Amino acid sequence: MLSGLRISQIYVLDQDQAVDFYVGKLGLEINTDQDLGFMRFLTVNVPGDPERQILLEKPGPPAMDPATADEVRSLLTKGRTGGHLFFTTADARKAYEELRAKGGVEFTQEPTEQPYGIDFGLRDPFGNHIRVAQMASAAS
Amino acid sequence: MTQAVEDSNRRLLRARDAMDLTYGGPLDIPTLARIAFVSEAHFIRAFRATFGETPHRYLQRRRVERALYLLRCTDRSITDICFDVGFASLGTFSKTFHLIVGESPSEYRRRGEVIALPTCFAMAWTRPSSFGEDGRATRG
């Protein structure tokens, strides 16, 4: 029936800042950046994987009323909107060192051996949680 | 007003992440207050207002969550685990553990191994939610 997962979404407080982080720091590519008038439709993807996009959505009107948007922003900055992104990499320790060298990245965990591979954790500037894993079973 | 709440949330989340990262050491309120950009006196109150519990209590739950994992997934001694996760004495560890989990560390250990979860899920979902205030153990 279903054949893939094309777009998933996380909330961000500021889309320019989101581009700085997701493209500038994490090295993702902008897939679509279009001003639709009622919203800026902004998606990014891992280089070489444009079939799987992340929508970086700013909470607010007209999608939600201002009071609800306040609640979403409050939860987001507490790290509790459920925004989780799990990326994979060929070399977790190298990826960690590269990100650390760039500076301005908040790590929540250093590279750690797990039964499923090696991974580390970080937060985006808004409160979303990100993990980067080198999976034990696969090459990437 | 809202902006101030979001900034405060995000700074306190940063301090909370630091606690989760360094749970093996003593609770260092001055350092955490600096991370959160608030005075030491204000930090505990602000943390509680944001996350619904004191930093001490949040940290104890993190430590017990790690102890639960180490008890079931490693063969380290209970004394080693107590100090690994940041308790300063075996007495406090045993008392806190029993209060939260409803059984002793050695009883809990006999339940056997659990599956490996990505760290953020293990941290969020296997952290016991109460200190037994409701009169029963909170983990099944």
Side-chain angles (χ1 to χ4, degrees):
Chain A
M1 194 168 67
L2 310 182
S3 61
L5 175 61
R6 199 169 76 87
I7 303 182
S8 21
Q9 174 271 13
I10 58 171
Y11 286 118
V12 299
L13 292 180
D14 181 291
Q15 289 173 311
D16 288 330
Q17 207 184 344
V19 169
D20 288 347
F21 180 79
Y22 283 98
V23 178
K25 301 279 189 199
L26 292 194
L28 303 188
E29 292 174 348
I30 291 181
N31 184 293
T32 308
D33 186 357
Q34 199 165 4
D35 185 354
L36 300 178
F38 50 87
M39 77 176 290
R40 177 181 174 190
F41 190 88
L42 174 66
T43 71
V44 292
N45 60 259
V46 171
D49 191 12
E51 295 306 311
R52 190 170 301 176
Q53 302 166 45
I54 305 159
L55 175 68
L56 302 172
E57 185 179 11
K58 191 177 166 182
M64 58 181 79
D65 64 276
T68 305
D70 282 352
E71 291 183 55
V72 171
R73 284 198 300 269
S74 176
L75 287 172
L76 172 59
T77 48
K78 284 187 196 184
R80 279 293 173 259
T81 45
H84 290 288
L85 297 172
F86 285 26
F87 294 103
T88 52
T89 179
D91 187 336
R93 295 184 200 283
K94 188 168 157 233
Y96 173 80
E97 288 306 329
E98 281 178 18
L99 286 173
R100 210 167 64 136
K102 286 186 183 181
V105 176
E106 266 180 64
F107 294 100
T108 55
Q109 191 182 34
E110 292 173 0
T112 306
E113 302 267 352
Q114 309 271 11
Y116 50 83
I118 302 171
D119 69 355
F120 61 93
L122 60 139
R123 279 202 196 275
D124 81 0
F126 318 107
N128 294 302
H129 191 256
I130 296 167
R131 294 195 76 79
V132 180
Q134 172 186 341
M135 302 305 286
S137 54
S140 60
Chain B
M1 177 60 198
T2 309
Q3 173 88 44
V5 171
E6 290 157 21
D7 288 347
S8 167
N9 284 349
R10 189 64 186 83
R11 285 185 272 106
L12 288 161
L13 178 62
R14 197 166 291 137
R16 203 189 70 172
D17 281 341
M19 285 168 68
D20 283 328
L21 191 61
T22 60
Y23 60 87
L27 177 61
D28 183 355
I29 296 289
T31 299
L32 296 173
R34 269 199 300 281
I35 292 171
F37 283 114
V38 293
S39 70
E40 285 179 42
H42 187 57
F43 176 71
I44 294 173
R45 207 166 53 236
F47 189 97
R48 186 174 193 169
T50 302
F51 298 114
E53 64 187 325
T54 63
H56 177 258
R57 187 189 146 112
Y58 182 84
L59 179 61
Q60 294 293 65
R61 294 196 300 114
R62 167 66 164 157
R63 288 169 170 168
V64 170
E65 173 257 308
R66 282 292 81 197
L68 293 170
Y69 167 80
L70 291 170
L71 284 166
R72 291 181 79 167
C73 299
T74 71
D75 50 15
R76 290 181 69 70
S77 76
I78 289 171
T79 308
D80 286 345
I81 289 173
C82 156
F83 295 119
D84 283 349
V85 303
F87 283 93
S89 84
L90 196 55
T92 307
F93 173 61
S94 299
K95 204 175 86 192
T96 308
F97 190 95
H98 202 280
L99 192 61
I100 292 178
V101 182
E103 59 190 334
S104 72
S106 53
E107 282 164 345
Y108 179 80
R109 170 164 260 175
R110 283 186 223 116
R111 294 190 195 189
E113 213 170 298
V114 288
I115 65 153
L117 293 168
T119 306
C120 60
F121 285 122
M123 197 166 80
W125 289 102
T126 65
R127 185 191 299 252
S129 59
S130 100
F131 265 56
E133 301 93 331
D134 57 357
R136 61 185 170 80
T138 50
R139 298 188 87 260

